[in-house]
Amino acid sequence: MCGIVGYIGKKDNPQIGLSALKRLEYRGYDSAGMAVFNPEKQEIFCLKAKGKISELERKFYSAPFSGSPFIFHTRWATHGEASEINAHPHWDCQKNIFLVHNGIIENYQELKEKLEKEGHKFQSETDTEVLCHLIEKYFQGNLEEAVRQALKEVRGTYGIAVISKKDPQKIVAAKLGSPLILGINQDEFLIASDPAAIVSHTRQVITLDDNEIAVLSPNNFFILKEKPIEKIEWDAGEAQKQGFSHFMLKEIMEQPESIETPLRGRLIIDQGLAKLGGLEPVKERLKGIERLNIVACGTARHACLVGEYMLEEYTGIPVEVEASSEFRYRKQILDKKTAVLAVSQSGETADTLEAIKEAKEKGIMCLGVVNVVGSTISRETDAGIYNHAGPEIGVASTKAFTSQLTVLALLTLFLGRQREMSLVMGQRIAKELLRIPELMREVLKSEAQVKELAQKYKDFNNLMYIGRKYNYPIAREGAHKIKEIAYVHAEGMRAGELKHCELALIDENFPTIAICPSDSVYDKMKNAMEEIKARQGKILAVATEGNNEIKNLVDDVIYIPKTLEMLTPILSVVPLQLFAYYVGVLRGYDVDHPKNLAKAVTVE
Ligand code: M6R
């Protein structure tokens, strides 16, 4: 999604902005732009390019200029096609005010009509441009005052950074519903929509809250409210590829570590307990909850579907998993004994955030499972658990997914031991959880085999993924991954449902990926696979080590180690992630930047 970077300070080299912007490439975008104030000419130079940041860079180096402050942007089209004219920055009639914006101005049509009647001339099809003209309308020499006046008229969401050649020694930034952080360094200040953009400059940051306006000048900054300085706990190296050809592969391979971190210090083995500091404030209230509604999107929602099986089996609490985008549009039967849990890697997904706001308005306790520390969802919820999976850059969520499963297993242990789960069962789950990172290392050894299988299956345009019980959501996640990365049509099905419809699609050109570990539903999975074989369907199975009989039934097998049934998904998803990755690469796609998708989906 859109990305913002701004800089003010002694360095006058816009290359700083370009490199910072590149760190946001992972979010997905379709055009880029920059505006730089040049003090000698007292002018703002602006460049825009459709497509990659490298195109903007090429334009810049063909006639470079210097200056400060500067603002940069990557755009992911919402209003108006991806084009140079619609790319940010946008400006006013006098070319005095330049602005970059993340979010959506919902009342832009009515504002635009009004401003046009007042004589303002628009160039682009974007909602953003109204902000420039509104600020122009109120500008009387003081930029922050004009921004403040303008924002009073706006409905929607925004993170903005604005500069003006008539009030040049400042960047004015403001936020409502779209993240912005302020980076503080010796003699320089930065503004960004994502800490990844500025972490190589500074780890001293302030997260802006909704309705706050920050004014950055070369030697100082000012926010309308006193705020504590925080410290980013990860370094720039963690957000680099470190020798892997793609972030996605790097993130798949680092899963043993990214599931170990959320477990660290959170298990008391002899007591069979999970210690979750983030839930301490609501620990007693949680004892009284009688229902749990979980909201999430995409891959995070698949993690929740696994969580639903875990929580219902071991805590006895009825659980419902809802797509966040639907939550506020249906009648919710919630009472004070219901808790709502939001699961999100980025902590910024607009649909999930809106679901939380809806629940909070009804006075319901809201919990979060979030990866990005300090993100909006983590701050909007009453209590929660951080994944601590480290920054996830690939648009396709992989390590965040397995860390979500790990955290949901911890939550199951936590709530289960408050209720009916026995000490012995608690100890079993806790001990097995500690073994999972090692078992994951075993699974990752199948990488070369999966790569060969990707070569064998890469030309099929349709794939069926099937699973049951705990591995049904994994079938959905496997299909989700190959759709978004390799653009292969795939269905993620409950194996038992096949015979009611999708079996009609199966033939020698429509292979099936069957997730069939040796668990309580294995025999039923076998029935579904027999039915597929009877229709000449090819099968690639993910099965438990030691299951030799399956070789007689299917075409190819990838083995995973034995573990507790509830924890199997943490392992079984890994070959599917690798498979999607290699099919995408073999088909020649840029797997870190799938077309039309963005990392953090900050629009509804
Ligand atoms: O940041 P979130 O976990 O809230 O994001 C939710 C989805 O947008 C995300 O999982 C998306 O489906 C990914 N592309 C999956 O790989």
Side-chain angles (χ1 to χ4, degrees):
M1 279 265 119
C2 306
I4 290 178
V5 173
Y7 173 93
I8 188 161
K10 290 208 167 120
K11 298 176 193 134
D12 63 356
N13 183 359
Q15 177 59 49
I16 296 171
L18 283 167
S19 356
L21 204 62
K22 281 188 187 159
R23 292 184 186 275
L24 300 186
E25 283 201 290
Y26 76 93
R27 295 169 69 102
Y29 67 102
D30 44 51
S31 54
M34 60 196 273
V36 179
F37 175 72
N38 181 285
E40 282 152 35
K41 300 228 159 71
Q42 290 288 304
E43 264 310 327
I44 292 177
F45 293 125
C46 183
L47 278 181
K48 302 186 194 190
K50 186 181 167 189
K52 295 280 174 198
I53 296 172
S54 51
E55 181 53 20
L56 180 71
E57 197 167 31
R58 192 193 58 71
K59 283 190 174 180
F60 172 70
Y61 282 114
S62 65
F65 43 81
S66 59
S68 158
F70 45 79
I71 51 175
F72 281 68
H73 192 261
T74 45
R75 174 175 188 253
W76 186 79
T78 58
H79 295 61
E81 59 168 357
S83 67
E84 199 170 308
I85 198 120
N86 289 334
H88 302 207
H90 289 283
W91 52 80
D92 60 334
C93 303
Q94 304 297 322
K95 283 203 141 189
N96 164 33
I97 290 149
F98 287 72
L99 174 146
V100 291
H101 166 225
N102 287 359
I104 291 179
I105 306 303
E106 284 168 4
N107 58 338
Y108 87 100
Q109 278 295 8
E110 89 200 43
L111 290 171
K112 189 171 176 179
E113 278 164 30
K114 213 165 119 195
L115 286 159
E116 276 175 335
K117 279 190 195 135
E118 290 170 11
H120 291 263
K121 297 265 178 291
F122 283 75
Q123 302 190 10
S124 73
E125 303 160 296
T126 65
D127 53 331
T128 300
E129 199 182 343
V130 294
L131 292 173
C132 307
H133 294 275
L134 261 186
I135 297 170
E136 176 177 39
K137 176 174 165 179
Y138 291 109
F139 187 80
Q140 289 184 339
N142 181 298
L143 186 59
E144 64 268 29
E145 185 48 30
V147 169
R148 205 175 65 81
Q149 291 287 349
L151 291 178
K152 281 189 198 164
E153 297 192 21
V154 163
R155 224 176 41 239
T157 55
Y158 53 79
I160 55 169
V162 197
I163 57 174
S164 157
K165 68 180 178 195
K166 294 199 180 139
D167 191 8
Q169 289 305 301
K170 60 180 70 152
I171 298 179
V172 176
K175 163 192 164 18
L176 178 64
S178 187
L180 269 190
I181 58 156
L182 168 57
I184 301 155
N185 215 359
Q186 187 92 37
D187 296 329
E188 58 183 10
F189 297 98
L190 298 106
I191 192 90
S193 51
D194 182 327
I198 57 170
V199 69
S200 60
H201 285 270
T202 180
R203 294 211 204 170
Q204 309 298 317
V205 296
I206 289 175
T207 308
L208 288 189
D209 280 334
D210 280 350
N211 295 309
E212 285 185 336
I213 297 181
V215 184
L216 286 58
S217 60
N219 311 313
N220 213 341
F221 70 93
F222 169 71
I223 305 177
L224 291 177
K225 200 164 80 188
E226 201 50 44
K227 307 216 48 182
I229 297 177
E230 301 154 29
K231 188 152 190 271
I232 297 174
E233 296 298 345
W234 43 272
D235 61 29
E238 283 180 62
Q240 295 307 303
K241 280 193 223 155
Q242 292 169 351
F244 287 95
S245 37
H246 295 94
F247 280 113
M248 184 178 173
L249 184 59
K250 173 189 171 242
E251 286 159 4
I252 293 173
M253 299 310 280
E254 68 193 15
Q255 289 181 102
E257 293 75 44
S258 59
I259 55 173
E260 205 155 39
T261 331
L263 293 173
R264 205 162 285 149
R266 284 173 165 171
L267 288 169
I268 309 173
I269 302 290
D270 56 342
Q271 296 174 39
L273 289 175
K275 205 172 95 198
L276 298 171
L279 295 187
E280 270 312 306
V282 295
K283 196 173 172 181
E284 289 310 308
R285 270 175 85 189
L286 284 172
K287 286 183 183 159
I289 63 158
E290 291 176 359
R291 238 178 94 187
L292 188 62
N293 279 42
I294 312 187
V295 288
C297 301
T299 285
R301 192 165 82 87
H302 298 148
C304 299
L305 290 171
V306 176
E308 182 176 8
Y309 283 100
M310 292 177 180
L311 286 156
E312 289 195 336
E313 182 163 358
Y314 290 101
T315 71
I317 303 170
V319 177
E320 189 172 346
V321 179
E322 174 88 279
S324 312
S325 54
E326 287 295 318
F327 184 83
R328 62 204 286 241
Y329 300 105
R330 68 183 269 198
K331 182 164 169 53
Q332 291 295 341
I333 303 157
L334 306 169
D335 61 26
K336 294 281 159 1
K337 296 212 162 151
T338 305
V340 167
L341 170 69
V343 177
S344 171
Q345 187 287 129
S346 61
E348 302 294 348
T349 302
D351 288 324
T352 307
L353 193 54
E354 289 306 322
I356 287 284
K357 286 185 184 158
E358 180 75 17
K360 274 177 82 176
E361 259 169 38
K362 295 192 160 78
I364 306 296
M365 170 167 53
C366 290
L367 311 172
V369 169
V370 172
N371 191 33
V372 177
V373 177
S375 55
T376 312
I377 293 175
S378 74
R379 286 181 289 126
E380 286 287 328
T381 41
D382 298 298
I385 316 168
Y386 278 123
N387 295 43
H388 295 310
E392 187 179 68
I393 309 291
V395 168
S397 188
T398 52
K399 67 172 183 172
F401 177 72
T402 45
S403 78
Q404 282 158 351
L405 295 178
T406 308
V407 169
L408 287 167
L410 283 170
L411 181 65
T412 302
L413 188 56
F414 182 91
L415 294 175
R417 292 287 285 130
Q418 281 189 335
R419 292 172 166 73
E420 58 197 34
M421 189 192 290
S422 68
L423 168 67
V424 175
M425 182 48 80
Q427 288 170 331
R428 259 186 87 190
I429 294 174
K431 267 192 211 148
E432 193 61 11
L433 265 170
L434 279 189
R435 253 169 41 89
I436 289 287
E438 208 39 56
L439 300 182
M440 174 82 86
R441 283 188 187 96
E442 287 301 310
V443 180
L444 287 169
K445 288 183 186 158
S446 66
E447 185 197 354
Q449 183 205 0
V450 178
K451 191 173 173 181
E452 272 175 33
L453 289 168
Q455 182 69 42
K456 178 170 170 185
Y457 286 83
K458 74 174 184 353
D459 294 324
F460 290 102
N461 289 323
N462 298 290
L463 290 174
M464 186 72 69
Y465 284 71
I466 58 168
R468 287 189 84 124
K469 204 175 167 186
Y470 282 102
N471 280 290
Y472 153 61
I474 299 305
R476 295 191 58 156
E477 175 56 11
H480 184 110
K481 283 283 93 75
I482 205 146
K483 282 189 274 194
E484 66 177 339
I485 295 305
Y487 318 141
V488 172
H489 164 245
E491 308 246 357
M493 294 289 306
R494 295 173 172 92
E497 288 292 295
L498 264 197
K499 56 187 176 293
H500 298 291
C501 176
E502 284 73 12
L503 204 52
L505 298 170
I506 297 295
D507 60 21
E508 66 279 15
N509 295 315
F510 203 138
T512 297
I513 319 290
I515 303 103
C516 51
S518 306
D519 59 10
S520 61
V521 287
Y522 174 70
D523 287 337
K524 300 286 172 201
M525 279 299 293
K526 244 171 42 182
N527 294 347
M529 289 190 282
E530 295 283 7
E531 287 157 13
I532 291 166
K533 273 286 139 202
R535 278 135 190 110
Q536 287 75 53
K538 291 191 175 49
I539 302 180
L540 160 56
V542 176
T544 305
E545 266 161 19
N547 177 358
N548 289 322
E549 68 153 22
I550 198 166
K551 289 184 188 156
N552 302 323
L553 179 57
V554 303
D555 299 84
D556 298 287
V557 196
I558 304 166
Y559 285 112
I560 58 168
K562 177 97 190 133
T563 182
L564 279 183
E565 183 168 351
M566 72 175 267
L567 302 180
T568 317
I570 309 179
L571 303 179
S572 61
V573 74
V574 176
L576 308 186
Q577 296 170 338
L578 284 167
F579 184 71
Y581 171 77
Y582 279 114
V583 172
V585 169
L586 289 166
R587 284 180 156 229
Y589 298 126
D590 178 359
V591 292
D592 278 341
H593 304 112
K595 67 174 192 285
N596 306 337
L597 296 182
K599 181 65 182 164
V601 185
T602 49
V603 292
E604 257 195 275

